[in-house]
Amino acid sequence: MRHTQLRAFHHVALHGGFSRAAQALGLTQPAVSDQVKQLEKAHDVLLLKRTTKSVSLTDAGARLFEITRRMFDAERAALELLTRQNEARAGNLQIFADSPHHILHVLASFRTQNPNVSVKVGTGNSQEILAALKTYDADIGIVGEVPSERTLDVVALGASDIVAFARKGGALDGFPTISVHRLLELPLVLREPGSKTRAKLEQAAGKLPQAIEAEGREAVREIVAAGGGIGIVSQAEYVDDPNLTSARITDPELTMEEAVICLRERSENRLIAAFMKLTRHAASRAAIGRKLSQR
């Protein structure tokens, strides 16, 4: 088994085909195909299902891909360690968040300490974020619940009430709180399945009534602002707007526990470790501040 053969297989699995793998590796497509065939022949195993239109992993290929992911990520980490001159050198950090609001102050500190690092922030619901971490499409995730998976390194950011919000002049005017029972009687605008705010409401209410479903927090906000119904969001993520009004949800109270997460197996990666360290420091300071305010 040669490193070049594993590398060829890994990139075919990663990019979903021989052409894109060859482009990523700077090789010809026949060269990549030949390396994978040699790997399969040497070990008498079929790793890829090939058709004229697509390439997919066999069971053995999927298991090997999980290993090569870790292997080549470790190789990148080793290269970083050996070639690192200082913490300010260039690099890339991919963050996937249900809302970037929770880590804006951490991002500012990270950029100050690592000015040459390219940071990309994507958005999605909690299910999408976990999936992106597991496929290495994201380095850091920000989710609306503290996960219990042992494969994750977790920094809890604290809890925040979930509030309902609507256009001013509507059903929430004059009501600082609203019960779940009353909320279900109103026209709702909900995020897509996989959203933790939606999941919290479903847990409290059971079956939800028919509602407008919108993908993403901003889409929900726009529909609500236009008078399309009542939305729900974490208080920490609610942005004051003169055209909107909000009410805390009670009976029962609903809360979100935001957390910053990464794969534990990748927590030693230089940039991931630096970001998580800053997050822990910020979370610790915030917890101290909350305790002092309660005295």
Side-chain angles (χ1 to χ4, degrees), residues 108-251:
S109 298
F110 183 83
R111 288 288 294 154
T112 299
Q113 296 182 18
N114 302 274
N116 295 326
V117 172
S118 173
V119 179
K120 295 182 180 180
V121 180
T123 59
N125 62 49
S126 294
Q127 287 183 357
E128 292 168 339
I129 292 167
L130 286 170
L133 285 176
K134 292 175 181 177
T135 57
Y136 290 21
D137 291 321
D139 303 310
I140 300 288
I142 295 92
V143 293
E145 189 174 58
V146 178
S148 58
E149 294 185 36
R150 299 175 67 180
T151 58
L152 299 174
D153 189 13
V154 179
V155 179
L157 299 179
S160 176
D161 292 331
I162 295 177
V163 299
F165 67 101
R167 188 168 72 171
K168 280 192 175 177
L172 297 184
D173 277 18
F175 294 92
T177 64
I178 185 171
S179 69
V180 170
H181 176 75
R182 170 62 178 145
L183 183 63
L184 297 181
E185 295 176 345
L186 301 175
L188 298 177
V189 183
L190 300 175
R191 286 191 60 184
E192 72 284 355
S195 160
K196 282 299 178 182
T197 49
R198 174 171 176 159
K200 292 281 186 178
L201 184 59
E202 288 173 337
Q203 290 169 8
K207 185 177 180 180
L208 295 180
Q210 290 295 320
I212 295 176
E213 185 177 295
E215 187 167 342
R217 187 173 290 102
E218 291 305 316
V220 171
R221 189 178 180 88
E222 289 182 12
I223 294 170
V224 170
I230 312 296
I232 61 170
V233 69
S234 164
Q235 177 70 64
E237 298 165 359
Y238 178 71
V239 180
D240 286 330
D241 186 314
N243 299 313
L244 298 175
T245 186
S246 66
R248 186 166 56 87
I249 299 173
T250 60
D251 304 322

Side-chain angles (χ1 to χ4, degrees), residues 68-88:
T68 59
R69 270 207 195 104
R70 296 191 294 270
M71 172 183 167
F72 285 104
D73 191 61
E75 184 179 89
R76 285 191 297 271
L79 183 61
E80 284 184 358
L81 178 65
L82 294 172
T83 61
R84 181 168 61 215
Q85 305 242 336
N86 56 61
E87 289 294 304

Side-chain angles (χ1 to χ4, degrees), residues 17 29 62 65-66 161 165 185 193 211 242 256 260 276:
Q29 181 175 333
F65 186 38
E66 289 300 317
D161 292 331
F165 67 101
E185 295 176 345
M256 294 280 286
V260 177
M276 294 297 281

